[in-house]
Amino acid sequence: MPFEHYIQSGGKRLRCGYTTGTCAALAAAGAARLLLGGRAPESVTLTTPGGLPVTAAPRYCRMAGETACCAVEKDGGDDIDATHGALIEARVERAAQPGVVIDGGPGVGRVTKPGLDQPVGAAAINRVPRRMIEQAVRAVCDALNWDGGLRVTICVPEGAALAKKTFNPQLGIEGGISILGTSGIVEPMSMQALIDTVALSLRQARAQGAARVLLTPGNYGVDFLREQGLDAAGAPVVKCSNFIGDALDEAAALGFADVLLVGHIGKLAKLAGGVMNTHSRYADCRTELLCAHAAVCGASQKTCAALLDAATTDACIALLDEAGLRAPVLDSLLRAVERHLVRRAAGAYRVGAVLFSNEYGLLGRTASAAEMLAEWKGKKQ
């Protein structure tokens, strides 16, 4: 049964899909229902973190000895990627200890490098999907009055082959794909439609009288702004996705006076190299840039080699901490970020950047960002 939720994008009506995390949670619920209730469900339903209900008919739901196995087919909607059509399987069995234990089986990658969403050695099932799986299984347990423990193993039969078409090998995730998703839903949008959406949001903000704006690539940035209280600074928040250069150009055309870019270091580190479209398919120079700035700041050859081999920017920060170089390297990186932002703005407005990490929190801000935030706070008071 296809997921019947649509969006308008680029003048087209496009069908949304759902993530591997949603599939895993649906499959886990189906397997738990078979194991505890004795009957295979014809369909399984959950509400995604984004608030949309998803119902899927399992491709199969059967017992294998004492283990219940249920598989749900990944539906990417009109945003077809490497995992579209893949079977995401959950194997559920009773456990001696209470609670729900989640792990990955064949076709789900294992983390081999630090700095990813999960620790080294863990299955590459991210935090939100893990929460979705646990909630889906607990809901079945509550409905069937089961208070014992369950072990859930997520598998992807073709995962090892599919992983070769993803960035997992470069990230240090071996043996399969990752189980991902923050909203649980995949929204298909063309590149031009995304850029048009960013431009529209900026036009609306300017039309309402805003002279300053907070740009952030996505949901992580929105959450950070909220946690830091920056969303109350009196400036509208506009999500610009990976299209930072396009957003900066639109801000100039609309006559904004102040533009503050707030984002995860994994995205904004690329600005230090002048990369203004931060999608990994266009450029992934994060560790190379951090390595270059570390070398300028006196890092050893060993540290530089480790930085180049790091899977994520969080892993790079840990390496810089070990070398006692976090502060000077980030200061050097931020100066480079500011130079490229100022060059792109071309005098049209004042521009700055704030970097953060989900693991380390606030990492730093450019000099102009510090000035803007101090002024904004003073005006608000």
Side-chain angles (χ1 to χ4, degrees), residues 22 46-52 128-129 131-132 135 181-185:
T22 294
L46 60 74
T47 300
T48 64
L52 292 174
V128 173
R131 187 166 64 246
M132 293 174 67
Q135 290 173 347
T182 53
S183 69
I185 299 300

Side-chain angles (χ1 to χ4, degrees), residues 81-295:
D81 63 9
T83 63
H84 177 72
L87 292 184
I88 313 298
E89 180 189 79
R91 303 172 183 175
V92 179
E93 55 192 333
R94 292 178 175 86
Q97 299 298 320
V100 178
V101 177
I102 301 168
D103 200 359
V108 172
R110 288 275 162 185
V111 178
T112 66
K113 292 184 179 181
L116 296 173
D117 182 271
Q118 296 296 303
V120 171
I125 305 173
N126 280 10
R127 283 170 289 181
V128 173
R130 284 178 183 270
R131 187 166 64 246
M132 293 174 67
I133 293 165
E134 181 173 359
Q135 290 173 347
V137 170
R138 287 190 180 278
V140 173
C141 292
D142 291 343
L144 298 176
N145 298 313
W146 171 260
D147 58 3
L150 293 177
R151 173 175 289 277
V152 180
T153 305
I154 304 300
C155 308
V156 183
E158 301 298 323
L162 292 174
K164 296 176 183 178
K165 302 176 183 179
T166 73
F167 279 93
N168 275 13
Q170 288 76 30
L171 293 174
I173 298 173
E174 299 181 355
I177 68 168
S178 300
I179 304 300
L180 303 171
T182 53
S183 69
I185 299 300
V186 177
E187 290 191 358
M189 293 189 78
S190 68
M191 181 183 296
Q192 189 56 52
L194 281 167
I195 294 172
D196 291 345
T197 299
V198 174
L200 176 60
S201 297
L202 286 167
R203 287 198 300 272
Q204 289 175 329
R206 192 73 180 101
Q208 293 170 10
R212 56 198 190 198
V213 65
L214 286 161
L215 290 177
T216 189
N219 291 329
Y220 286 152
V222 172
D223 292 342
F224 177 78
L225 288 167
R226 187 181 303 113
E227 291 166 4
Q228 297 288 313
L230 295 177
D231 59 338
V237 178
V238 172
K239 289 198 288 187
C240 61
S241 186
N242 293 295
F243 308 107
I244 293 171
D246 294 284
L248 294 173
D249 294 346
E250 186 68 21
L254 293 170
F256 280 95
D258 285 345
V259 176
L260 182 58
L261 181 63
V262 179
H264 192 283
I265 186 173
K267 289 286 185 186
L268 299 197
K270 299 177 186 182
L271 301 182
V275 175
M276 293 291 167
N277 183 330
T278 57
H279 197 290
S280 56
R281 72 164 59 99
Y282 298 106
D284 189 12
C285 52
R286 301 162 299 161
T287 58
E288 290 87 350
L289 285 165
L290 282 163
C291 176
H293 286 273

Side-chain angles (χ1 to χ4, degrees), residues 287-343:
T287 58
E288 290 87 350
L289 285 165
L290 282 163
C291 176
H293 286 273
V296 168
C297 294
S300 67
Q301 184 176 356
K302 179 181 178 181
T303 296
C304 288
L307 287 168
L308 286 175
D309 192 49
T312 66
T313 47
D314 279 341
C316 288
I317 297 299
L319 290 167
L320 293 174
D321 283 344
E322 290 176 12
L325 289 172
R326 187 206 286 199
V329 171
L330 288 180
D331 183 60
S332 178
L333 187 83
L334 282 162
R335 289 199 302 272
V337 168
E338 187 162 54
R339 284 197 300 272
H340 285 289
L341 288 175
V342 168
R343 184 176 296 118

